[in-house]
């Protein structure tokens, strides 16, 4: 699998990241171990998670995904074969939220313990913290880097302006810089990234590891009517969010691309995303080995220019960048 540079971090990653948000939620420990073994064997060795995954699930407290990954790392002995990305900043309990240096110092130790490792490859600010100066947050990351606990840092859910401010302050104050940005981006949700973040990422050499690369599964093509809401735990939200005139237009373009290429809807949607300027490694999840095979196949698919053009036109939010 051809690897890509992640920003200027020195880390190399495959063109697709595996979303660990499903671990401890829709995927239990045994199935997670099977998926992790298979994905690493296939060269898909970039795993994205967060301390808060999967706090939203009934009975969970947060940290479940990291715990499962940590158990697998301990059992498999494959720590040196994977790139682990996790995040800090979302609420983990009373007073356990944000990007203040004191909280980052505490949260990273918790993540390291759950992951059963002594370093994190990519440590990300899960969302902006307007109450903490950027230099304070970046300085805290600098200490973790100097201690060998973090190799590189990234940001998630930052605006183009705040990412630019952080990059300027990093250079001005000799602090670690965000080497990646993690926004929502897919064929349906293009505007937030393309209207600002994309230009910053390309100009400043910041890698983009976008989430919801399959629009929560809508772009897999299995949600076509209101009745399809029953197909998954997220089905109702997916149908309500995406099954509109624009969504149907995108599905029609995907249908045509599938017929042209012989690939699946998932493969085409991911291949389109991987071909966009600034994109390093879209994040996608799988809950079965069959779904994982689909993700791996997507990394080997190059879409013809005409297919890319038609997908661009069908999903255009204002004026297509092509």
């Amino acid at each position: 699998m051809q690897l890509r540079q992640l920003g200027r971090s020195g880390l190399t990653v495959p063109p697709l990241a595996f979303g660990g948000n499903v671990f401890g939620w829709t995927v239990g420990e045994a199935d997670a171990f099977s998926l992790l073994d298979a994905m690493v064997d296939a060269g898909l060795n970039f795993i994205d998670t967060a301390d808060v995954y999967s706090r939203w699930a009934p009975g969970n407290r947060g940290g479940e995904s990291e715990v499962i990954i940590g158990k697998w790392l301990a059992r498999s002995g494959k720590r040196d074969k994977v790139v682990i990305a996790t995040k800090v900043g979302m609420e983990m309990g009373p007073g356990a939220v944000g990007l203040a240096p004191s909280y980052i110092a505490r949260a990273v130790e918790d993540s390291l313990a759950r992951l059963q490792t002594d370093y994190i490859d990519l440590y990300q600010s899960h969302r902006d913290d307007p109450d903490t100066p950027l230099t304070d947050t970046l300085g805290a990351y600098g200490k973790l880097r100097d201690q060998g606990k973090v190799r590189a840092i990234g940001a998630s859910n930052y605006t183009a302006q705040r990412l630019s401010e952080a990059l300027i302050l990093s250079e001005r104050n000799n602090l670690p810089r965000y080497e990646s940005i993690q926004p929502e981006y897919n064929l349906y949700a293009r505007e937030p990234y393309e209207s600002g973040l994309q230009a910053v990422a390309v100009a400043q050499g910041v890698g983009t590891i976008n989430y919801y690369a399959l629009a929560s599964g809508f772009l897999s093509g299995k949600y076509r009517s209101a009745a399809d809401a029953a197909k998954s735990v997220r089905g109702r939200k997916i149908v309500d969010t995406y099954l509109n005139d624009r969504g149907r237009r995108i599905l029609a373009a995907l249908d045509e691309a599938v017929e042209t290429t012989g690939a699946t809807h998932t493969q085409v949607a991911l291949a389109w995303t991987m071909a966009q300027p600034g994109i390093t490694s879209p994040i996608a999840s799988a809950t079965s080995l069959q779904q994982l095979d689909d993700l791996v196949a997507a990394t080997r698919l190059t879409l013809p220019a005409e297919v890319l053009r038609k997908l661009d036109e069908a999903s255009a939010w204002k004026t297509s960048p092509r």
Side-chain angles (χ1 to χ4, degrees):
M1 188 172 294
Q2 188 170 1
L3 301 180
R4 297 178 172 185
Q5 295 289 329
L6 183 64
R8 302 172 186 169
S9 66
L11 297 173
T12 55
V13 297
L16 194 65
F18 188 91
N21 62 314
V22 294
F23 296 152
W25 177 29
T26 55
V27 176
E29 183 176 299
D31 289 337
F33 284 9
S34 296
L35 284 167
L36 287 163
D37 284 332
M39 57 181 268
V40 172
D41 289 345
L44 208 65
N45 67 335
F46 187 19
I47 307 166
D48 177 79
T49 186
D51 56 2
V52 76
Y53 296 166
S54 49
R55 185 174 167 82
W56 57 82
N60 285 1
R61 302 175 59 186
E64 288 79 14
S65 175
E66 289 183 331
V67 166
I68 287 176
I69 294 169
K71 288 182 178 180
W72 173 78
L73 288 174
R75 190 209 66 171
S76 68
K78 294 180 179 179
R79 179 63 186 94
D80 62 339
K81 298 183 182 299
V82 294
V83 177
I84 301 291
T86 193
K87 311 179 194 75
V88 59
M90 293 291 196
E91 184 175 359
M92 287 287 284
V97 65
L99 299 173
S102 58
Y103 179 61
I104 289 175
R106 176 159 51 103
V108 74
E109 297 299 335
D110 291 340
S111 285
L112 289 169
R114 287 189 291 262
L115 289 165
Q116 299 192 49
T117 182
D118 55 5
Y119 70 96
I120 294 165
D121 296 290
L122 180 68
Y123 201 37
Q124 302 161 95
S125 299
H126 206 152
R127 66 180 177 191
D128 193 9
D129 178 3
D131 296 325
T132 301
L134 286 166
T135 50
D136 287 1
T137 297
L138 296 170
Y141 288 141
K143 290 181 180 179
L144 297 181
R145 183 188 61 182
D146 293 344
Q147 294 166 357
K149 296 177 180 179
V150 169
R151 297 179 65 188
I153 62 170
S156 176
N157 299 304
Y158 274 48
T159 64
Q161 180 179 343
R162 285 289 279 177
L163 177 60
S164 296
E165 289 176 8
L167 293 171
I168 291 169
L169 290 171
S170 294
E171 184 174 3
R172 183 179 298 166
N173 296 284
N174 194 31
L175 295 169
R177 72 170 215 145
Y178 287 133
E179 297 294 351
S180 64
I181 182 68
Q182 190 172 138
E184 179 179 3
Y185 186 59
N186 54 58
L187 268 167
Y188 188 97
R190 293 176 57 181
E191 181 177 3
Y193 179 66
E194 292 180 2
S195 63
L197 278 170
Q198 187 177 52
V200 176
V202 172
Q204 300 301 320
V206 174
T208 301
I209 49 176
N210 52 297
Y211 63 86
Y212 287 172
L214 289 170
S216 298
F218 174 73
L219 297 175
S220 70
K222 69 179 183 179
Y223 299 95
R224 304 278 181 161
S225 69
D228 292 332
K231 288 185 174 180
S232 73
V233 295
R234 297 181 293 177
R236 172 51 55 192
K237 184 177 181 181
I238 292 169
V239 167
D240 290 346
T241 302
Y242 300 110
L243 198 59
N244 49 40
D245 289 344
R246 185 164 184 271
R248 291 186 180 92
R249 188 167 64 247
I250 292 170
L251 285 180
L254 281 171
D255 290 342
E256 183 177 350
V258 165
E259 192 170 330
T260 299
T261 63
T264 66
H265 290 77
T266 291
Q267 292 165 22
V268 171
L270 291 175
W272 176 88
T273 308
M274 286 184 275
Q276 301 310 301
I279 299 297
T280 304
S281 190
I283 302 168
S285 300
T287 58
S288 68
L289 293 176
Q290 182 179 2
Q291 290 179 359
L292 181 63
D293 289 342
D294 226 11
L295 302 189
V296 174
T299 67
R300 300 170 181 152
L301 176 63
T302 300
L303 296 175
E306 181 64 9
V307 171
L308 287 169
R309 183 187 67 79
K310 289 182 178 180
L311 289 169
D312 282 352
E313 290 178 353
S315 62
W317 53 273
K318 185 175 180 181
T319 55
S320 176
R322 287 186 183 276

